[in-house]
PDB file of all heavy atoms in Angstrom:
ATOM      1  N   SER A 468       6.854  15.027  -0.197  1.00 77.00           N
ATOM      2  CA  SER A 468       8.005  14.271   0.322  1.00 77.00           C
ATOM      3  C   SER A 468       7.575  12.874   0.752  1.00 77.00           C
ATOM      4  O   SER A 468       8.300  11.908   0.604  1.00 77.00           O
ATOM      5  CB  SER A 468       8.661  15.006   1.487  1.00 77.00           C
ATOM      6  OG  SER A 468       7.761  15.150   2.567  1.00 77.00           O
ATOM      7  N   LYS A 469       6.339  12.767   1.272  1.00 72.00           N
ATOM      8  CA  LYS A 469       5.810  11.455   1.659  1.00 72.00           C
ATOM      9  C   LYS A 469       5.669  10.559   0.429  1.00 72.00           C
ATOM     10  O   LYS A 469       5.981   9.371   0.482  1.00 72.00           O
ATOM     11  CB  LYS A 469       4.434  11.605   2.329  1.00 72.00           C
ATOM     12  CG  LYS A 469       4.492  11.776   3.818  1.00 72.00           C
ATOM     13  CD  LYS A 469       3.102  11.797   4.419  1.00 72.00           C
ATOM     14  CE  LYS A 469       3.087  12.413   5.804  1.00 72.00           C
ATOM     15  NZ  LYS A 469       1.727  12.618   6.269  1.00 72.00           N
ATOM     16  N   MET A 470       5.173  11.109  -0.667  1.00 74.00           N
ATOM     17  CA  MET A 470       4.986  10.345  -1.889  1.00 74.00           C
ATOM     18  C   MET A 470       6.327   9.927  -2.486  1.00 74.00           C
ATOM     19  O   MET A 470       6.453   8.852  -3.057  1.00 74.00           O
ATOM     20  CB  MET A 470       4.204  11.165  -2.916  1.00 74.00           C
ATOM     21  CG  MET A 470       2.723  11.220  -2.617  1.00 74.00           C
ATOM     22  SD  MET A 470       1.770  11.788  -4.023  1.00 74.00           S
ATOM     23  CE  MET A 470       2.314  13.466  -4.125  1.00 74.00           C
ATOM     24  N   GLN A 471       7.338  10.804  -2.346  1.00 80.00           N
ATOM     25  CA  GLN A 471       8.651  10.521  -2.922  1.00 80.00           C
ATOM     26  C   GLN A 471       9.475   9.557  -2.066  1.00 80.00           C
ATOM     27  O   GLN A 471      10.454   9.014  -2.527  1.00 80.00           O
ATOM     28  CB  GLN A 471       9.433  11.834  -3.091  1.00 80.00           C
ATOM     29  CG  GLN A 471       8.834  12.763  -4.122  1.00 80.00           C
ATOM     30  CD  GLN A 471       8.879  12.193  -5.536  1.00 80.00           C
ATOM     31  OE1 GLN A 471       9.862  11.620  -5.948  1.00 80.00           O
ATOM     32  NE2 GLN A 471       7.786  12.348  -6.259  1.00 80.00           N
ATOM     33  N   ASN A 472       9.064   9.373  -0.806  1.00 81.00           N
ATOM     34  CA  ASN A 472       9.837   8.552   0.110  1.00 81.00           C
ATOM     35  C   ASN A 472       9.640   7.060  -0.207  1.00 81.00           C
ATOM     36  O   ASN A 472       8.557   6.522  -0.046  1.00 81.00           O
ATOM     37  CB  ASN A 472       9.380   8.847   1.545  1.00 81.00           C
ATOM     38  CG  ASN A 472      10.345   8.277   2.561  1.00 81.00           C
ATOM     39  OD1 ASN A 472      11.079   7.340   2.264  1.00 81.00           O
ATOM     40  ND2 ASN A 472      10.339   8.837   3.750  1.00 81.00           N
ATOM     41  N   PRO A 473      10.703   6.359  -0.646  1.00 85.00           N
ATOM     42  CA  PRO A 473      10.566   4.942  -0.997  1.00 85.00           C
ATOM     43  C   PRO A 473      10.275   4.068   0.219  1.00 85.00           C
ATOM     44  O   PRO A 473       9.643   3.016   0.105  1.00 85.00           O
ATOM     45  CB  PRO A 473      11.928   4.585  -1.599  1.00 85.00           C
ATOM     46  CG  PRO A 473      12.877   5.602  -1.080  1.00 85.00           C
ATOM     47  CD  PRO A 473      12.059   6.845  -0.860  1.00 85.00           C
ATOM     48  N   PHE A 474      10.726   4.509   1.395  1.00 87.00           N
ATOM     49  CA  PHE A 474      10.487   3.726   2.608  1.00 87.00           C
ATOM     50  C   PHE A 474       9.002   3.640   2.923  1.00 87.00           C
ATOM     51  O   PHE A 474       8.465   2.575   3.205  1.00 87.00           O
ATOM     52  CB  PHE A 474      11.245   4.364   3.782  1.00 87.00           C
ATOM     53  CG  PHE A 474      11.219   3.545   5.036  1.00 87.00           C
ATOM     54  CD1 PHE A 474      11.832   2.312   5.078  1.00 87.00           C
ATOM     55  CD2 PHE A 474      10.577   4.026   6.162  1.00 87.00           C
ATOM     56  CE1 PHE A 474      11.814   1.548   6.231  1.00 87.00           C
ATOM     57  CE2 PHE A 474      10.548   3.273   7.328  1.00 87.00           C
ATOM     58  CZ  PHE A 474      11.175   2.028   7.366  1.00 87.00           C
ATOM     59  N   ILE A 475       8.299   4.768   2.807  1.00 85.00           N
ATOM     60  CA  ILE A 475       6.855   4.811   3.049  1.00 85.00           C
ATOM     61  C   ILE A 475       6.124   4.002   1.978  1.00 85.00           C
ATOM     62  O   ILE A 475       5.181   3.273   2.270  1.00 85.00           O
ATOM     63  CB  ILE A 475       6.363   6.270   3.109  1.00 85.00           C
ATOM     64  CG1 ILE A 475       6.935   6.949   4.368  1.00 85.00           C
ATOM     65  CG2 ILE A 475       4.836   6.333   3.124  1.00 85.00           C
ATOM     66  CD1 ILE A 475       6.730   8.444   4.397  1.00 85.00           C
ATOM     67  N   GLN A 476       6.600   4.103   0.723  1.00 87.00           N
ATOM     68  CA  GLN A 476       6.010   3.324  -0.362  1.00 87.00           C
ATOM     69  C   GLN A 476       6.108   1.842  -0.065  1.00 87.00           C
ATOM     70  O   GLN A 476       5.166   1.088  -0.280  1.00 87.00           O
ATOM     71  CB  GLN A 476       6.725   3.628  -1.687  1.00 87.00           C
ATOM     72  CG  GLN A 476       6.456   5.024  -2.206  1.00 87.00           C
ATOM     73  CD  GLN A 476       5.080   5.175  -2.819  1.00 87.00           C
ATOM     74  OE1 GLN A 476       4.485   4.206  -3.234  1.00 87.00           O
ATOM     75  NE2 GLN A 476       4.586   6.386  -2.847  1.00 87.00           N
ATOM     76  N   LEU A 477       7.265   1.416   0.461  1.00 90.00           N
ATOM     77  CA  LEU A 477       7.500   0.006   0.777  1.00 90.00           C
ATOM     78  C   LEU A 477       6.553  -0.460   1.880  1.00 90.00           C
ATOM     79  O   LEU A 477       5.947  -1.525   1.768  1.00 90.00           O
ATOM     80  CB  LEU A 477       8.956  -0.182   1.216  1.00 90.00           C
ATOM     81  CG  LEU A 477       9.360  -1.631   1.491  1.00 90.00           C
ATOM     82  CD1 LEU A 477       9.468  -2.396   0.183  1.00 90.00           C
ATOM     83  CD2 LEU A 477      10.694  -1.670   2.223  1.00 90.00           C
ATOM     84  N   ILE A 478       6.393   0.362   2.915  1.00 91.00           N
ATOM     85  CA  ILE A 478       5.488   0.004   4.014  1.00 91.00           C
ATOM     86  C   ILE A 478       4.075  -0.165   3.496  1.00 91.00           C
ATOM     87  O   ILE A 478       3.388  -1.131   3.819  1.00 91.00           O
ATOM     88  CB  ILE A 478       5.550   1.067   5.124  1.00 91.00           C
ATOM     89  CG1 ILE A 478       6.919   1.027   5.809  1.00 91.00           C
ATOM     90  CG2 ILE A 478       4.442   0.855   6.155  1.00 91.00           C
ATOM     91  CD1 ILE A 478       7.162   2.181   6.741  1.00 91.00           C
ATOM     92  N   LYS A 479       3.623   0.785   2.651  1.00 91.00           N
ATOM     93  CA  LYS A 479       2.275   0.711   2.074  1.00 91.00           C
ATOM     94  C   LYS A 479       2.112  -0.569   1.268  1.00 91.00           C
ATOM     95  O   LYS A 479       1.092  -1.253   1.364  1.00 91.00           O
ATOM     96  CB  LYS A 479       2.041   1.908   1.143  1.00 91.00           C
ATOM     97  CG  LYS A 479       1.558   3.159   1.863  1.00 91.00           C
ATOM     98  CD  LYS A 479       1.146   4.169   0.814  1.00 91.00           C
ATOM     99  CE  LYS A 479       0.958   5.557   1.381  1.00 91.00           C
ATOM    100  NZ  LYS A 479       0.719   6.530   0.331  1.00 91.00           N
ATOM    101  N   TYR A 480       3.143  -0.889   0.449  1.00 93.00           N
ATOM    102  CA  TYR A 480       3.082  -2.068  -0.417  1.00 93.00           C
ATOM    103  C   TYR A 480       3.000  -3.349   0.412  1.00 93.00           C
ATOM    104  O   TYR A 480       2.178  -4.216   0.145  1.00 93.00           O
ATOM    105  CB  TYR A 480       4.336  -2.098  -1.306  1.00 93.00           C
ATOM    106  CG  TYR A 480       4.421  -3.334  -2.165  1.00 93.00           C
ATOM    107  CD1 TYR A 480       3.578  -3.487  -3.257  1.00 93.00           C
ATOM    108  CD2 TYR A 480       5.349  -4.332  -1.879  1.00 93.00           C
ATOM    109  CE1 TYR A 480       3.651  -4.614  -4.052  1.00 93.00           C
ATOM    110  CE2 TYR A 480       5.431  -5.464  -2.668  1.00 93.00           C
ATOM    111  CZ  TYR A 480       4.579  -5.600  -3.751  1.00 93.00           C
ATOM    112  OH  TYR A 480       4.648  -6.711  -4.521  1.00 93.00           O
TER     113      TYR A 480
END
Side-chain angles (χ1 to χ4, degrees):
S468 62
K469 270 185 198 171
M470 283 195 292
Q471 293 295 318
N472 193 337
F474 188 65
I475 292 169
Q476 290 285 336
L477 184 72
I478 291 170
K479 275 189 194 174
Y480 176 73

